[in-house]
Short mmCIF file of all heavy atoms in Angstrom, two decimals:
data_model
loop_
_atom_site.label_atom_id
_atom_site.label_comp_id
_atom_site.label_asym_id
_atom_site.label_seq_id
_atom_site.Cartn_x
_atom_site.Cartn_y
_atom_site.Cartn_z
N HIS A 67 -27.73 -5.51 23.79
CA HIS A 67 -28.15 -6.69 24.55
C HIS A 67 -29.51 -7.19 24.08
O HIS A 67 -30.51 -6.49 24.23
CB HIS A 67 -28.21 -6.36 26.05
CG HIS A 67 -28.36 -7.55 26.93
ND1 HIS A 67 -27.42 -8.56 26.99
CD2 HIS A 67 -29.35 -7.94 27.78
CE1 HIS A 67 -27.81 -9.48 27.84
NE2 HIS A 67 -28.99 -9.14 28.33
N HIS A 69 -31.95 -11.01 23.74
CA HIS A 69 -32.22 -12.45 23.71
C HIS A 69 -33.38 -12.59 22.74
O HIS A 69 -34.54 -12.39 23.12
CB HIS A 69 -32.63 -12.99 25.08
CG HIS A 69 -31.70 -12.61 26.20
ND1 HIS A 69 -30.48 -13.21 26.38
CD2 HIS A 69 -31.81 -11.68 27.17
CE1 HIS A 69 -29.89 -12.67 27.45
NE2 HIS A 69 -30.67 -11.75 27.94
N HIS A 247 -24.15 -10.58 32.48
CA HIS A 247 -25.21 -10.00 33.33
C HIS A 247 -24.61 -9.83 34.72
O HIS A 247 -24.06 -10.80 35.26
CB HIS A 247 -26.37 -10.98 33.50
CG HIS A 247 -27.20 -11.26 32.29
ND1 HIS A 247 -27.50 -12.52 31.87
CD2 HIS A 247 -27.85 -10.43 31.43
CE1 HIS A 247 -28.30 -12.48 30.82
NE2 HIS A 247 -28.52 -11.22 30.52
N HIS A 284 -26.82 -4.56 32.79
CA HIS A 284 -27.67 -4.12 33.91
C HIS A 284 -26.85 -3.35 34.96
O HIS A 284 -27.00 -2.14 35.07
CB HIS A 284 -28.44 -5.27 34.57
CG HIS A 284 -29.28 -6.04 33.61
ND1 HIS A 284 -30.23 -5.45 32.81
CD2 HIS A 284 -29.29 -7.37 33.25
CE1 HIS A 284 -30.80 -6.37 32.04
NE2 HIS A 284 -30.24 -7.53 32.29
N ASP A 335 -32.81 -6.31 25.33
CA ASP A 335 -32.84 -7.43 26.28
C ASP A 335 -33.95 -8.44 25.99
O ASP A 335 -33.85 -9.22 25.05
CB ASP A 335 -32.92 -6.86 27.70
CG ASP A 335 -32.60 -7.90 28.77
OD1 ASP A 335 -32.32 -9.04 28.42
OD2 ASP A 335 -32.65 -7.57 29.97
ZN1 ZN B 1 -30.27 -10.38 29.43
#
Side-chain angles (χ1 to χ4, degrees):
H67 192 62
H69 309 284
H247 291 130
H284 305 304
D335 194 0

